[in-house]
Amino acid sequence: MPPPARNLVNLKDVRKGYGSRTVLDGVTLGVAEGERIGIVGRNGDGKSTLLKLLAGIEEPDAGQLTRTGGVSTSVIAQADELDGTKTIREELVGGRADHEWMGDARFRDVLDGLLGGVAITRFPQGLDTVIGPLSGGERRRIGLAKLLLDSPDLLLLDEPTNHLDVEGVDWLARHLASRRGTLVVITHDRWFLDAVCTATWEVSDGAVHQYEGGYAAYVLARAERDRQAAAREDRRQQLMRKELAWLRRGPPARTSKPKFRIEAANALIADEPPARDGVELLRFASQRLGDKVLEAEDVSLAYGDRVLLRGATWRLGPGDRVALVGVNGSGKTTLVNLLSGALEPTDGQVIRGATVKLAHLSQDAVELPGHLRVIEALEEVRGRTTTADGQELTAGKLAERFGFKGEKGRTLVRDLSGGERRRLQLMRLLMDEPNVLLLDEPTNDLDIDTLTALEDLLDRWPGTLVVVSHDRYFVERVTDDVYALGTNGRVRHLPGGIDQYVEQRRLAAEGAKDVASAARAGAPAQKPGLSGGEARTARKEVARLERAIEKLETREAQLHEDMAQAATDFDRLRGLQEELTTLTAEKEELEASWMELSEQLEG
C-alpha cells in the first residue's frame, strides 16, 4: 500500500480579515501532493484571499500556516505581472539558445497550445514582440505559458480561463489534467472544474467546505448538505412554533417558568438565519414574436482592408436558443452588433421582424450611469414593469427581488462590483420587456451562484436567445444549437455542439502541421487521384487562394510598417496588433487549404 501523500501547505485555525471584516475564520485544511483543487464561492467571500495565503503572499491574522521546505510555488493572479518593456523571448526563454528550448517537448507543447507554436505565429514579431502594447487576452496567454514552463511543484491559478477562447480553455484543461504536480485553481468555469479538478473547496461565510471530485460531485454533495441543513431548520422551526404558541396561551407573569420559556424562545429567534441574499427569478412580460425574427443575408463587413465578415448568412426564428462560438478576433461581437443594429453591413442586409423588441447585453458595463444609484438606474429605463403573471413591480421592489436590498439599492452604480454591475445591466434590459436577447459574454464577473440563477431565468425566457460565450458549461446549459463563425467570415451550424467545434479545430491544426511537415520533408502526398472535373475545380480554387493569400501578405507588410511608425502610440499599436492577429489566423487557414489542394493536384 503506497504511503499517504504529504501535505505541501497546512492551515490550522486560520483567521484573516481586512479592517472590521473577517473573510476567513477558523479555517483548517491542507493541500496534499498531487491534488488538483478547484476553489468556488460567491464574489467577495475570500477565494483570492485563501489563494494568497497558500502562496505566501499574505500571512494570517491568527492561527498557523506551515509550508513544506523545498517546494517551488508559482501563482498567477487575475491581473498579470508581466514586464511591458520586455519581449516574449525575455519572459519565456531568457538566455537559453534556440536549439535548447525548441528541442524541449514540454516547451513545444505549451507554445503550440497557447501561442501558435514555436514560431509564435499569434504575434507580429514572434518571440521578439514587445509585451506592452498587447491585449489582455494575449498577455494572459503569455503569463500562463511562463507559469507552465517553470513547472513548479505547486501551481496556484486565479481565474486562468479569463480572456481565453473555447479552444484555449480546452487545451489548458487537457494540459493541467495530464500534468504532474499539485494545482489549486479559482474558477467560475464549471466545465473546466469537472475536466481538471479532483477536489472542490467552497468558500462561504468565513469557512471552507471540502468536497471530493469536480463540479458535478460538488453540486451533489452540496445538495445533500443543504438537505440536511433544511431538515435541521424544519425541526427548529417546529420547536419555535410550539414555544411561541405556548407563550401566547400561558400567562407570562404567573410563575418563573414563563420567564425561562420567553428567554428560550428569544434565543431561538435570535439564532434565526438571515434571509437568503439571492436573485429572485422572474419571467417578464414579453411581446409575442412573429414568424420572422432576425435574418442576416450575405452580410459582409470590413474596416479598411480588414474583412471580418464575408457573405455571412444567418437566420433566427421565434424561440430559437443559439450560441455563437469562434476564435478570438473572428468577428463574433461584430456579428452580434450587426444583428442589434449597432453596426451596418458593408454589403448584404439585416432584416428584423416587425414585432421584434431587442435587448443587447454587451461585453462591458461602461454604458451604465455611474453617477446614479441602483434604483435610479432602473427608474431611468422604466418606473414600473409587469411580470408574465400580470404582477406590477416598481423599480425599488424589483431591485430588492434581484438582491439589491436595503442600502444596497441606494449604492452608486460606480461603487458596485463587476458581478453586481452585470446583474444591474441585465435588470435594465429585462425591465424594457424585450422578446429577443443578445448576450455577449454574459458570464463575465459572475460567480457560480449568480450563474446558476441566470441560467434558471433563461430557462423560462419565452423569446429568442443568442449567446456569445467561451463558458462551455453555460452554452450547453442554456442553448439548443451552436453555430461557429470561422476566420473565413462565414457562419456554419454545428449539430455536435462545442465538442464538434473543438474537435474540428484540433484536427485542422494537426492536419496543417502534418501537411507542413510533409512539405518540408519532400514527402509525396498520399491522396487519391482527382478526376478531370475535380482537377479543374481544384486548380481554380488554388488560383483563388493564391490571390487571397497575396492580398493578405500585402496587408500584412503594410501592418508591420504601420506598427513601426506607431511604436510609441500604444492605443493605435494595440488596434493594429488585433488586426494582424486576425489576419494571421485567416492566412494560415488559406495556406493550409492551398497546400492540401496543391498536393492533391500533384498526386
Side-chain angles (χ1 to χ4, degrees), residues 209-513:
H209 305 280
Q210 302 179 53
Y211 304 91
E212 292 291 329
Y215 179 73
Y218 153 71
V219 169
L220 293 173
R222 178 177 166 180
E224 175 60 18
R225 190 188 84 191
D226 290 347
R227 185 192 67 78
Q228 293 176 359
R232 288 193 298 270
E233 180 62 21
D234 284 343
R235 289 193 294 271
R236 185 175 66 169
Q237 291 285 354
Q238 289 173 12
L239 176 59
M240 183 161 58
R241 285 193 293 271
K242 290 178 182 178
E243 291 283 351
L244 294 176
W246 187 92
L247 288 170
R248 283 195 298 268
R249 288 195 302 267
R254 183 171 297 170
T255 66
S256 60
K257 185 176 181 181
K259 183 179 180 181
F260 167 77
R261 289 287 198 167
I262 289 171
E263 290 174 352
N266 286 337
L268 285 167
I269 295 169
D271 195 35
E272 180 72 8
R276 179 172 176 163
D277 181 21
V279 178
E280 182 170 340
L281 302 172
L282 303 170
R283 176 176 166 181
F284 288 78
S286 60
Q287 185 177 354
R288 178 180 169 83
L289 280 169
D291 293 335
K292 183 174 289 187
V293 180
L294 293 173
E295 295 184 0
E297 296 278 1
D298 294 323
V299 167
S300 296
L301 184 70
Y303 295 104
D305 293 332
R306 183 188 179 197
V307 178
L308 279 178
L309 300 172
R310 184 182 288 105
T313 295
W314 200 23
R315 297 182 179 89
L316 298 169
D320 284 353
R321 304 170 64 86
V322 302
L324 182 64
V325 298
V327 299
N328 290 340
S330 61
K332 302 185 297 296
T333 294
T334 298
L335 180 54
V336 171
N337 286 337
L338 284 174
L339 293 177
S340 72
L343 289 175
E344 292 297 325
T346 309
D347 293 303
Q349 61 178 339
V350 177
I351 303 169
R352 299 174 189 88
T355 61
V356 166
K357 190 170 185 181
L358 187 145
H360 179 199
L361 183 73
S362 60
Q363 285 197 39
D364 52 52
V366 294
E367 66 269 27
L368 288 176
H371 66 287
L372 295 180
R373 303 186 186 279
V374 169
I375 294 176
E376 294 171 342
L378 291 175
E379 290 174 337
E380 186 181 54
V381 178
R382 182 177 290 184
R384 296 174 180 271
T385 189
T386 305
T387 62
D389 59 4
Q391 182 183 6
E392 190 176 72
L393 294 175
T394 65
K397 183 62 69 176
L398 180 65
E400 289 183 5
R401 292 198 173 194
F402 270 73
F404 293 97
K405 296 179 172 65
E407 287 298 320
K408 202 68 178 176
R410 291 182 285 277
T411 303
L412 288 172
V413 171
R414 62 170 170 260
D415 295 332
L416 297 177
S417 69
E420 289 166 338
R421 289 169 65 87
R422 203 67 171 156
R423 195 190 311 172
L424 175 59
Q425 191 180 17
L426 183 60
M427 288 165 58
R428 281 165 56 93
L429 293 180
L430 293 177
M431 281 201 75
D432 211 23
E433 300 172 6
N435 52 23
V436 175
L437 272 179
L438 306 179
L439 306 180
D440 194 352
E441 296 295 353
T443 66
N444 285 354
D445 299 316
L446 298 185
D447 57 38
I448 287 178
D449 282 354
T450 308
L451 280 174
T452 55
L454 175 59
E455 289 160 356
D456 194 16
L457 183 149
L458 294 177
D459 280 343
R460 295 182 281 167
W461 176 251
T464 295
L465 175 66
V466 179
V467 174
V468 176
S469 178
H470 67 271
D471 189 324
R472 192 162 170 175
Y473 190 101
F474 182 83
V475 164
E476 293 172 347
R477 174 71 174 75
V478 303
T479 65
D480 299 324
D481 287 288
V482 176
Y483 289 80
L485 180 59
T487 52
N488 62 359
R490 291 188 171 89
V491 180
R492 58 192 172 92
H493 182 229
L494 300 174
I498 289 184
D499 285 342
Q500 179 185 352
Y501 170 74
V502 171
E503 183 63 20
Q504 286 181 353
R505 291 289 301 174
R506 190 183 305 156
L507 291 174
E510 291 173 355
K513 288 180 189 176

Side-chain angles (χ1 to χ4, degrees), residues 83-140:
D83 186 341
T85 64
K86 290 186 176 181
T87 64
I88 298 175
R89 179 187 299 275
E90 290 171 321
E91 284 285 11
L92 299 187
V93 181
R96 294 182 66 181
D98 284 350
H99 70 273
E100 291 182 16
W101 64 266
M102 283 185 177
D104 188 330
R106 181 172 53 87
F107 258 71
R108 291 199 305 272
D109 179 43
V110 172
L111 297 183
D112 283 347
L114 290 173
L115 303 178
V118 294
I120 319 292
T121 56
R122 283 182 171 269
F123 304 97
Q125 282 84 40
L127 277 173
D128 297 315
T129 301
V130 177
I131 292 171
L134 299 180
S135 69
E138 290 164 337
R139 292 173 67 102
R140 191 63 165 180

